[in-house]
Amino acid sequence: MSRSLLVLAALALVATACNGTDTTTTTTTTGSAGPIELAYDFVGGSDGWASEVADYTDATRPDDLLSETEGAPPGFDPADGFFHLAASNRSDDLFLYLYRAVTDTDGLEPGATYEVSYTVEFASNAPSGCAGIGGAPGESVWMKVGASEEEPIPVSEDGDTRLAVDKGGQSQGGEAADVAGVIANGIPCEEALDQDPTPYALVTLEETLDGPVTADDDGRLWLFVGTDSGFEGRTSIWYDRIEVTLERVA
């Protein structure tokens, strides 16, 4: 399995899939009263998702970012499809995330407002109950899900790079994102550390955003999913499946 590192020299992280064909696997149910249901399983590529990173300074930007759509975590079948993101949190506040657009081709209507619900399944090697630098590797890394009319890209000013939309800080959500949970995988710390490599386990988190989001005049909005870290070490997440339901509201 390829483990080549992608250095953030230009900070243009994976505009499309790093290694694989960009085949979008979506299931869409549309209708005047029905929800729009989207599912992405990363079999064969990125499913239209791109990766990025935010919340760092020029001095603390990660230099070991890994973003790939080939392979699988130890003990899992690569045929299941995964999108792997990993990086070290030198800023004590790193946001490592995936994002993609949803458009009228998915059933969105221009100017319509939607309630957004997520189910995120991922493999994590962060055990439960471990101590760590700055915070726990599992309980101090929060999985956030969000949606916005504005593209959620990193914006740099005076050497500080932040997300263009309000995702909140670490354990707190923001106007564009909510906390779905943490990445602790349920394996007790002592048991996990006795194994080499540290084992991965699947984690499933669900969250409905507190506030609705409105599609733009072209019938487009942006989805994003990522880890907001207070653990000053390396976080490695293999996204297995992302499901999104958009329910139109008055």
Side-chain angles (χ1 to χ4, degrees):
M1 179 177 67
S2 173
R3 294 284 182 177
S4 57
L5 299 181
L6 302 181
V7 179
L8 278 176
L11 294 177
L13 308 182
V14 196
T16 57
C18 292
N19 303 296
T21 304
D22 182 14
T23 55
T24 302
T25 304
T26 64
T27 302
T28 306
T29 302
T30 60
S32 58
I36 298 170
E37 297 177 345
L38 307 169
Y40 310 94
D41 60 15
F42 308 115
V43 174
S46 71
D47 276 353
W49 294 79
S51 65
E52 262 294 3
V53 66
D55 288 2
Y56 61 88
T57 65
D58 288 347
T60 61
R61 67 185 186 186
D63 57 7
D64 61 351
L65 178 74
L66 181 63
S67 176
E68 60 182 356
T69 57
E70 289 184 346
F76 290 81
D77 186 353
D80 290 342
F82 293 91
F83 200 136
H84 184 202
L85 293 184
S88 294
N89 178 20
R90 298 175 59 207
S91 68
D92 192 26
D93 192 31
L94 194 70
F95 186 58
L96 181 63
Y97 67 103
L98 299 176
Y99 73 106
R100 65 158 291 153
V102 180
T103 68
D104 56 354
T105 61
D106 299 300
L108 270 67
E109 297 183 28
T113 299
Y114 297 89
E115 181 184 76
V116 182
S117 299
Y118 277 90
T119 299
V120 182
E121 186 174 65
F122 58 93
S124 167
N125 67 346
S128 295
C130 279
I133 305 169
E139 290 82 0
S140 294
V141 182
W142 294 272
M143 179 64 69
K144 290 187 173 179
V145 294
S148 61
E149 183 177 344
E150 182 181 357
E151 185 176 4
I153 57 175
V155 176
S156 296
E157 183 177 357
D158 297 328
D160 193 24
T161 299
R162 299 292 174 184
L163 199 64
V165 300
D166 179 16
K167 63 169 180 60
Q170 296 193 352
S171 64
Q172 302 299 313
E175 291 183 3
D178 288 344
V179 176
V182 297
I183 68 166
N185 64 13
I187 301 175
C189 184
E190 296 79 5
E191 177 184 335
L193 296 183
D194 281 341
Q195 302 180 54
D196 187 19
T198 304
Y200 281 84
L202 284 179
V203 178
T204 301
L205 299 175
E206 298 181 350
E207 181 68 19
T208 297
L209 300 186
D210 287 341
V213 62
T214 301
D216 66 17
D217 292 339
D218 295 321
R220 178 181 60 187
L221 59 82
W222 295 88
L223 307 174
F224 62 98
V225 176
T227 52
D228 206 345
S229 181
F231 166 58
E232 296 178 45
R234 185 170 176 81
T235 291
S236 175
I237 293 293
W238 294 78
Y239 290 95
D240 186 28
R241 186 173 178 85
I242 298 174
E243 297 178 359
V244 185
T245 300
L246 299 102
E247 184 86 43
R248 185 166 179 177
V249 298

